[in-house]
Coordinates of all heavy atoms in Angstrom, one line a residue:
M1134 N 160.4 97.9 49.8 CA 160.7 96.9 50.9 C 161.9 97.4 51.7 O 162.8 98.1 51.2 CB 161.1 95.6 50.1 CG 161.4 94.5 51.1 SD 163.1 94.0 51.4 CE 164.1 94.4 50.1
A1135 N 161.8 97.2 53.0 CA 162.8 97.6 53.9 C 162.9 96.7 55.0 O 161.9 96.0 55.4 CB 162.5 99.0 54.4
T1136 N 164.1 96.5 55.6 CA 164.2 95.8 56.9 C 163.4 96.5 57.9 O 163.3 97.7 57.8 CB 165.7 95.6 57.2 OG1 166.3 96.9 57.4 CG2 166.5 94.7 56.2
S1137 N 163.0 95.7 58.8 CA 162.1 96.3 59.9 C 162.7 96.1 61.2 O 163.3 95.2 61.6 CB 160.7 95.6 59.9 OG 159.9 96.1 60.8
S1138 N 162.4 97.2 62.1 CA 162.8 97.0 63.5 C 161.7 96.4 64.4 O 161.9 96.3 65.6 CB 163.2 98.4 64.1 OG 162.0 99.3 63.9
I1139 N 160.6 96.1 63.7 CA 159.5 95.4 64.4 C 160.0 94.1 64.8 O 160.4 93.3 63.8 CB 158.2 95.4 63.6 CG1 157.8 96.8 63.2 CG2 157.1 94.7 64.4 CD1 156.7 96.9 62.2
E1140 N 159.8 93.6 66.1 CA 160.4 92.4 66.5 C 159.9 91.2 65.8 O 160.4 90.1 65.6 CB 160.4 92.3 68.0 CG 159.0 92.2 68.5 CD 159.0 92.3 70.1 OE1 159.9 92.9 70.7 OE2 158.2 91.6 70.7
W1141 N 158.5 91.2 65.5 CA 157.8 89.9 64.9 C 157.8 89.9 63.4 O 157.1 89.1 62.8 CB 156.4 89.9 65.5 CG 155.7 91.2 65.5 CD1 155.6 92.0 66.5 CD2 154.9 91.7 64.4 NE1 154.8 93.1 66.1 CE2 154.4 92.9 64.9 CE3 154.6 91.3 63.2 CZ2 153.6 93.8 64.0 CZ3 153.8 92.1 62.3 CH2 153.3 93.3 62.8
T1142 N 158.6 90.8 62.8 CA 158.6 90.7 61.3 C 160.0 91.1 60.8 O 160.8 91.6 61.6 CB 157.6 91.7 60.7 OG1 157.5 91.4 59.2 CG2 158.0 93.1 60.9
E1143 N 160.3 90.7 59.6 CA 161.7 91.0 59.1 C 161.9 92.1 58.0 O 162.7 92.8 57.9 CB 162.2 89.6 58.5 CG 162.4 88.7 59.6 CD 162.6 87.2 59.0 OE1 161.6 86.6 58.4 OE2 163.8 86.8 58.9
L1144 N 160.7 92.2 57.3 CA 160.6 93.1 56.2 C 159.4 93.8 56.1 O 158.4 93.3 56.5 CB 160.9 92.3 54.8 CG 162.1 91.6 54.6 CD1 162.1 90.8 53.3 CD2 163.4 92.4 54.5
T1145 N 159.3 95.0 55.5 CA 158.1 95.6 55.2 C 158.0 95.7 53.7 O 158.9 95.9 53.0 CB 157.9 97.0 55.9 OG1 159.0 97.8 55.3 CG2 158.0 97.0 57.3
W1146 N 156.7 95.7 53.2 CA 156.4 95.7 51.7 C 155.1 96.5 51.5 O 154.1 95.9 52.1 CB 156.6 94.4 51.1 CG 156.2 94.4 49.6 CD1 156.8 95.1 48.6 CD2 155.2 93.6 49.0 NE1 156.1 94.8 47.4 CE2 155.2 93.9 47.6 CE3 154.3 92.6 49.4 CZ2 154.4 93.2 46.7 CZ3 153.5 91.9 48.5 CH2 153.5 92.3 47.2
N1147 N 155.1 97.5 50.9 CA 154.0 98.4 50.7 C 153.7 98.7 49.4 O 154.0 99.8 48.9 CB 154.1 99.6 51.6 CG 154.5 99.3 53.1 OD1 153.7 98.6 53.8 ND2 155.8 99.6 53.4
P1148 N 153.0 97.8 48.5 CA 152.7 98.1 47.2 C 151.5 99.1 47.0 O 151.2 99.5 45.9 CB 152.4 96.7 46.5 CG 152.1 96.0 47.7 CD 152.7 96.4 48.9
T1149 N 150.7 99.3 48.0 CA 149.6 100.2 47.9 C 149.7 101.2 49.1 O 150.4 100.9 50.2 CB 148.3 99.4 48.2 OG1 148.2 98.9 49.5 CG2 148.1 98.3 47.0
T1150 N 149.0 102.3 48.8 CA 149.0 103.2 49.9 C 147.5 103.7 49.9 O 146.8 103.6 48.9 CB 149.8 104.5 49.7 OG1 149.7 105.0 48.5 CG2 151.3 104.1 50.0
G1151 N 147.0 104.3 51.0 CA 145.6 104.8 51.1 C 144.6 103.7 51.3 O 144.9 102.6 51.4
C1152 N 143.3 104.2 51.3 CA 142.3 103.2 51.6 C 141.1 104.0 51.3 O 140.9 105.1 51.2 CB 142.2 102.7 53.1 SG 141.2 101.3 53.4
D1153 N 139.9 103.2 51.2 CA 138.5 103.8 51.2 C 137.8 103.5 52.6 O 137.9 102.4 53.0 CB 137.7 103.1 50.1 CG 138.3 103.4 48.7 OD1 138.7 104.6 48.5 OD2 138.2 102.6 47.8
K1154 N 137.2 104.5 53.0 CA 136.5 104.3 54.3 C 135.3 103.5 54.0 O 134.5 103.8 53.2 CB 136.2 105.7 54.9 CG 137.5 106.4 55.4 CD 137.2 107.5 56.3 CE 138.5 108.0 56.9 NZ 138.3 109.0 58.0
V1155 N 135.2 102.4 54.8 CA 134.0 101.5 54.5 C 133.0 101.3 55.6 O 132.0 100.7 55.4 CB 134.6 100.1 54.2 CG1 135.4 100.1 52.9 CG2 135.5 99.6 55.4
S1156 N 133.4 101.9 56.8 CA 132.4 101.7 57.9 C 132.6 102.8 58.9 O 133.6 103.6 59.0 CB 132.6 100.4 58.7 OG 133.8 100.4 59.4
A1157 N 131.7 102.9 59.9 CA 131.9 103.9 61.0 C 133.2 103.6 61.8 O 133.8 104.5 62.3 CB 130.6 103.7 62.0
G1158 N 133.7 102.5 61.8 CA 135.0 102.1 62.4 C 136.1 102.8 61.8 O 137.2 102.9 62.4
C1159 N 136.0 103.4 60.6 CA 137.1 104.0 59.9 C 137.1 105.6 60.3 O 138.0 106.2 59.9 CB 136.8 104.0 58.4 SG 136.8 102.4 57.8
K1160 N 136.3 106.0 61.2 CA 136.3 107.4 61.5 C 137.5 108.0 62.1 O 137.9 109.0 61.8 CB 135.1 107.6 62.6 CG 134.9 109.1 62.9 CD 133.7 109.3 63.9 CE 133.5 110.8 64.2 NZ 132.3 111.0 65.0
H1161 N 138.1 107.2 62.9 CA 139.4 107.6 63.5 C 140.7 106.8 63.0 O 141.5 106.4 63.8 CB 139.3 107.6 65.0 CG 138.3 108.3 65.6 ND1 138.2 109.7 65.7 CD2 137.1 107.9 66.2 CE1 137.1 110.1 66.1 NE2 136.4 109.0 66.5
C1162 N 140.7 106.7 61.7 CA 141.6 105.8 61.0 C 143.1 106.3 61.3 O 143.5 107.5 61.0 CB 141.4 105.8 59.5 SG 142.6 104.8 58.6
Y1163 N 143.9 105.5 61.8 CA 145.3 105.8 62.1 C 146.1 105.9 60.8 O 146.9 106.8 60.6 CB 145.9 104.6 62.9 CG 147.4 104.7 63.0 CD1 148.1 105.5 63.9 CD2 148.2 103.8 62.2 CE1 149.5 105.4 64.0 CE2 149.6 103.9 62.3 CZ 150.2 104.6 63.2 OH 151.5 104.6 63.3
A1164 N 145.7 105.0 59.8 CA 146.4 105.2 58.5 C 146.1 106.4 57.8 O 147.0 107.0 57.2 CB 146.0 103.9 57.7
E1165 N 145.0 107.1 58.0 CA 144.8 108.2 57.3 C 145.5 109.4 57.9 O 146.2 110.2 57.1 CB 143.2 108.6 57.5 CG 142.9 109.9 56.7 CD 141.5 110.2 56.8 OE1 140.7 109.8 57.7 OE2 140.9 110.9 55.8
V1166 N 145.7 109.4 59.2 CA 146.5 110.4 59.9 C 147.9 110.3 59.4 O 148.6 111.2 59.1 CB 146.4 110.2 61.4 CG1 147.4 111.1 62.1 CG2 145.0 110.5 61.9
M1167 N 148.5 109.0 59.4 CA 149.8 108.8 59.0 C 150.0 109.2 57.5 O 151.1 109.8 57.2 CB 150.2 107.3 59.1 CG 150.5 106.9 60.6 SD 151.8 107.9 61.4 CE 153.1 107.4 60.4
S1168 N 149.1 109.0 56.7 CA 149.2 109.3 55.3 C 149.3 110.8 55.1 O 150.1 111.3 54.3 CB 148.1 108.8 54.3 OG 146.9 109.4 54.6
R1169 N 148.6 111.5 55.9 CA 148.7 113.1 55.9 C 150.1 113.5 56.3 O 150.7 114.3 55.7 CB 147.6 113.7 56.7 CG 146.3 113.9 56.1 CD 145.4 114.8 56.9 NE 144.2 114.1 57.2 CZ 143.8 113.8 58.5 NH1 144.4 114.3 59.5 NH2 142.7 113.0 58.7
R1170 N 150.6 112.9 57.3 CA 151.9 113.2 57.9 C 153.0 113.0 56.8 O 153.9 113.7 56.5 CB 152.1 112.4 59.1 CG 153.5 112.8 59.8 CD 153.7 112.0 61.1 NE 152.6 112.2 62.0 CZ 152.5 111.6 63.2 NH1 153.4 110.7 63.5 NH2 151.5 111.9 64.0
L1171 N 152.9 111.7 56.2 CA 153.8 111.3 55.2 C 153.8 112.2 53.9 O 154.8 112.6 53.4 CB 153.7 109.9 54.9 CG 154.0 108.9 56.1 CD1 153.6 107.5 55.8 CD2 155.5 109.0 56.5
K1172 N 152.6 112.6 53.6 CA 152.4 113.6 52.5 C 153.2 114.8 52.8 O 153.9 115.4 52.0 CB 150.9 113.7 52.1 CG 150.8 114.8 51.1 CD 149.3 114.9 50.7 CE 149.1 116.0 49.5 NZ 147.7 116.0 49.2
A1173 N 152.9 115.4 54.0 CA 153.5 116.7 54.5 C 155.0 116.5 54.5 O 155.7 117.6 54.3 CB 153.0 117.0 55.9
M1174 N 155.5 115.4 54.7 CA 157.0 115.1 54.8 C 157.5 115.0 53.3 O 158.8 114.9 53.1 CB 157.3 113.9 55.5 CG 157.0 113.9 57.0 SD 157.1 112.4 57.9 CE 158.8 111.9 57.7
G1175 N 156.7 115.0 52.4 CA 157.2 115.1 50.9 C 157.3 113.7 50.4 O 158.0 113.6 49.2
L1176 N 156.9 112.6 51.0 CA 157.1 111.2 50.5 C 156.3 111.1 49.1 O 155.1 111.3 49.1 CB 156.8 110.2 51.4 CG 157.8 109.7 52.4 CD1 158.2 110.9 53.4 CD2 157.6 108.5 53.1
A1177 N 156.9 110.7 48.1 CA 156.4 110.7 46.8 C 155.1 109.7 46.7 O 154.1 109.9 46.1 CB 157.3 110.2 45.7
K1178 N 155.3 108.5 47.5 CA 154.2 107.6 47.5 C 152.9 108.2 48.1 O 151.9 107.6 47.9 CB 154.6 106.4 48.3 CG 155.6 105.5 47.5 CD 156.0 104.3 48.5 CE 155.0 103.2 48.4 NZ 155.5 101.9 49.1
Y1179 N 153.0 109.2 48.9 CA 151.9 109.8 49.5 C 151.4 111.1 48.9 O 150.7 111.9 49.5 CB 152.1 109.9 51.0 CG 152.3 108.5 51.6 CD1 153.6 108.0 51.7 CD2 151.3 107.8 52.1 CE1 153.8 106.7 52.3 CE2 151.3 106.5 52.5 CZ 152.7 106.0 52.6 OH 152.8 104.8 53.2
A1180 N 151.8 111.5 47.7 CA 151.5 112.6 47.1 C 150.1 112.8 46.9 O 149.5 113.9 47.0 CB 152.1 112.7 45.7
D1181 N 149.3 111.7 46.8 CA 147.8 111.7 46.7 C 147.1 111.6 48.1 O 146.0 111.2 48.1 CB 147.3 110.7 45.8 CG 147.7 111.1 44.3 OD1 147.8 112.2 43.9 OD2 147.9 110.1 43.5
G1182 N 148.0 111.7 49.1 CA 147.3 111.5 50.5 C 146.8 110.1 50.8 O 147.5 109.2 50.6
F1183 N 145.5 110.1 51.1 CA 144.9 108.8 51.5 C 144.1 108.2 50.5 O 143.4 107.2 50.6 CB 144.0 109.1 52.8 CG 143.7 107.9 53.5 CD1 144.6 107.0 54.1 CD2 142.3 107.6 53.7 CE1 144.4 105.9 54.7 CE2 142.0 106.4 54.5 CZ 143.0 105.6 55.0
K1184 N 144.2 108.7 49.3 CA 143.5 108.1 48.1 C 144.1 106.8 47.8 O 145.5 106.7 47.9 CB 143.6 109.0 46.9 CG 142.8 110.3 47.0 CD 142.8 111.0 45.7 CE 142.1 112.3 45.9 NZ 142.3 113.3 44.8
L1185 N 143.4 105.7 47.6 CA 143.9 104.4 47.3 C 144.8 104.4 46.0 O 144.3 104.8 45.0 CB 142.8 103.4 47.2 CG 143.2 101.9 47.1 CD1 144.2 101.5 48.2 CD2 142.0 101.1 47.0
R1186 N 146.0 104.0 46.1 CA 146.9 103.9 45.0 C 147.7 102.7 45.0 O 148.2 102.1 46.1 CB 148.0 105.2 45.0 CG 147.2 106.5 44.9 CD 146.8 106.7 43.6 NE 146.2 107.9 43.3 CZ 144.9 108.3 43.3 NH1 144.0 107.2 43.4 NH2 144.4 109.4 43.0
I1187 N 147.9 102.1 43.8 CA 148.8 100.9 43.6 C 150.1 101.4 43.1 O 150.2 102.2 42.1 CB 148.2 100.0 42.8 CG1 146.9 99.3 43.4 CG2 149.3 98.8 42.5 CD1 146.1 98.5 42.5
H1188 N 151.2 101.0 43.8 CA 152.5 101.5 43.3 C 153.2 100.4 42.4 O 153.7 99.5 43.0 CB 153.4 102.0 44.4 CG 152.7 103.0 45.3 ND1 152.7 104.3 44.8 CD2 151.9 103.0 46.4 CE1 152.1 105.1 45.7 NE2 151.5 104.2 46.7
E1189 N 152.9 100.4 41.1 CA 153.2 99.2 40.3 C 154.7 99.0 40.4 O 155.1 97.8 40.3 CB 152.9 99.6 38.8 CG 151.4 99.5 38.7 CD 150.9 99.6 37.2 OE1 151.7 99.2 36.4 OE2 149.7 100.1 37.0
S1190 N 155.7 99.9 40.6 CA 157.0 99.6 40.7 C 157.4 98.7 42.0 O 158.4 97.9 41.9 CB 158.0 100.8 40.8 OG 157.5 101.5 42.0
A1191 N 156.5 98.7 42.9 CA 156.6 97.8 44.1 C 156.1 96.4 43.9 O 156.5 95.6 44.7 CB 156.1 98.6 45.3
L1192 N 155.4 96.3 43.0 CA 154.7 94.9 42.8 C 155.7 93.7 42.5 O 155.5 92.7 42.9 CB 153.6 94.9 41.7 CG 152.4 95.8 42.0 CD1 151.5 95.8 40.8 CD2 151.7 95.3 43.3
S1193 N 156.8 94.1 41.9 CA 157.8 93.0 41.6 C 158.9 92.8 42.6 O 159.7 91.9 42.5 CB 158.4 93.3 40.2 OG 159.1 94.5 40.3
V1194 N 158.8 93.6 43.6 CA 159.9 93.5 44.7 C 160.0 92.2 45.3 O 161.2 91.7 45.4 CB 159.6 94.7 45.8 CG1 160.5 94.4 47.0 CG2 159.9 96.0 45.3
P1195 N 159.0 91.4 45.6 CA 159.2 90.1 46.1 C 159.9 89.1 45.3 O 160.6 88.2 45.8 CB 157.7 89.6 46.3 CG 156.9 90.8 46.5 CD 157.5 91.8 45.5
Y1196 N 160.0 89.4 44.0 CA 160.8 88.5 43.1 C 162.3 88.7 43.4 O 163.2 87.9 42.9 CB 160.4 88.9 41.6 CG 159.1 88.4 41.2 CD1 158.1 89.4 40.9 CD2 158.8 87.0 41.2 CE1 156.9 89.0 40.5 CE2 157.4 86.7 40.8 CZ 156.6 87.6 40.5 OH 155.4 87.3 40.1
T1197 N 162.7 89.7 44.1 CA 164.0 90.0 44.3 C 164.5 89.3 45.6 O 165.6 89.2 45.9 CB 164.4 91.5 44.5 OG1 163.7 92.0 45.6 CG2 163.9 92.3 43.2
W1198 N 163.5 88.8 46.4 CA 163.9 88.2 47.7 C 164.5 86.8 47.4 O 164.0 86.0 46.7 CB 162.7 88.1 48.6 CG 162.1 89.4 48.9 CD1 162.7 90.6 48.9 CD2 160.7 89.7 49.3 NE1 161.8 91.7 49.2 CE2 160.6 91.1 49.5 CE3 159.6 88.9 49.5 CZ2 159.4 91.7 49.9 CZ3 158.4 89.5 50.0 CH2 158.3 90.9 50.1
K1199 N 165.6 86.6 48.1 CA 166.4 85.3 47.8 C 166.0 84.2 48.8 O 166.3 83.1 48.7 CB 167.9 85.6 48.0 CG 168.3 86.6 46.9 CD 168.2 86.2 45.6 CE 168.7 87.2 44.6 NZ 168.0 87.3 43.3
K1200 N 165.4 84.5 50.0 CA 165.0 83.6 50.9 C 163.7 83.9 51.6 O 163.2 85.1 51.6 CB 166.1 83.4 52.0 CG 166.4 84.7 52.8 CD 167.5 84.5 53.8 CE 167.7 85.8 54.6 NZ 168.6 85.7 55.7
P1201 N 163.0 82.9 52.3 CA 161.8 83.2 52.9 C 162.0 84.3 54.1 O 163.0 84.3 54.6 CB 161.3 81.9 53.5 CG 162.1 80.8 52.7 CD 163.4 81.5 52.3
A1202 N 161.0 85.0 54.3 CA 161.0 86.1 55.3 C 159.5 86.3 55.8 O 158.6 86.1 55.1 CB 161.7 87.3 54.8
M1203 N 159.4 86.8 57.0 CA 158.2 87.2 57.6 C 158.1 88.7 57.1 O 158.9 89.6 57.4 CB 158.2 87.2 59.1 CG 156.9 87.6 59.7 SD 155.6 86.3 59.6 CE 156.3 85.2 60.7
V1204 N 157.0 89.0 56.2 CA 156.8 90.3 55.7 C 155.5 90.9 56.2 O 154.5 90.3 56.3 CB 156.8 90.1 54.1 CG1 156.6 91.5 53.5 CG2 158.0 89.4 53.6
F1205 N 155.6 92.2 56.5 CA 154.5 92.9 57.0 C 154.3 94.2 56.1 O 155.3 94.9 55.8 CB 154.8 93.4 58.5 CG 153.8 94.3 59.1 CD1 152.6 93.8 59.3 CD2 154.2 95.6 59.4 CE1 151.6 94.6 59.8 CE2 153.2 96.4 60.0 CZ 151.9 95.9 60.2
G1206 N 153.1 94.4 55.8 CA 152.7 95.6 54.9 C 152.3 96.7 55.9 O 151.5 96.5 56.9
Q1207 N 152.9 97.9 55.8 CA 152.6 99.0 56.6 C 152.6 100.3 55.9 O 153.0 100.2 54.6 CB 153.4 99.1 57.9 CG 154.9 99.2 57.5 CD 155.7 99.4 58.9 OE1 155.6 98.5 59.7 NE2 156.6 100.3 58.9
L1208 N 152.4 101.4 56.4 CA 152.3 102.7 55.7 C 153.6 103.2 55.3 O 153.8 103.9 54.3 CB 151.5 103.7 56.4 CG 150.0 103.6 56.3 CD1 149.3 104.6 57.2 CD2 149.6 103.8 54.9
D1209 N 154.7 103.1 56.1 CA 155.9 103.7 55.8 C 156.8 102.7 55.2 O 156.8 101.5 55.6 CB 156.5 104.4 57.0 CG 156.9 103.4 58.1 OD1 156.3 102.4 58.2 OD2 157.7 103.8 58.9
E1210 N 157.7 103.2 54.4 CA 158.7 102.2 53.9 C 160.0 103.1 53.5 O 159.8 104.2 53.1 CB 158.1 101.6 52.6 CG 159.1 100.6 52.1 CD 158.5 99.7 51.0 OE1 157.3 99.6 50.9 OE2 159.2 99.2 50.2
Ligands
LIG2485 S1 142.8 101.6 56.8 FE1 141.4 103.1 57.7 S2 139.9 103.6 56.2 FE2 140.8 101.7 55.5 S3 139.5 100.0 56.4 FE3 141.1 100.5 57.9 S4 140.3 102.0 59.4 FE4 139.0 101.9 57.4

């Protein structure tokens, strides 16, 4: 979880990374490109690149939030 500079959200929370390509619409997937970039940058969460992964240590993060917030899931955190 991190505070966000995105104007329409307050926090980001990303308990999963990667995805499975499910349709022709996935051919030019932005998330796949970003995951390759983040892996190359050495981010541990992206060690497996675009393979779907659940990061169990992130699952309990919402329990630490003390007040309601607009939360957005995205690739970087
Ligand atoms: S994140 Fe990428 S691979 Fe997953 S459904 Fe969306 S476009 Fe397809």
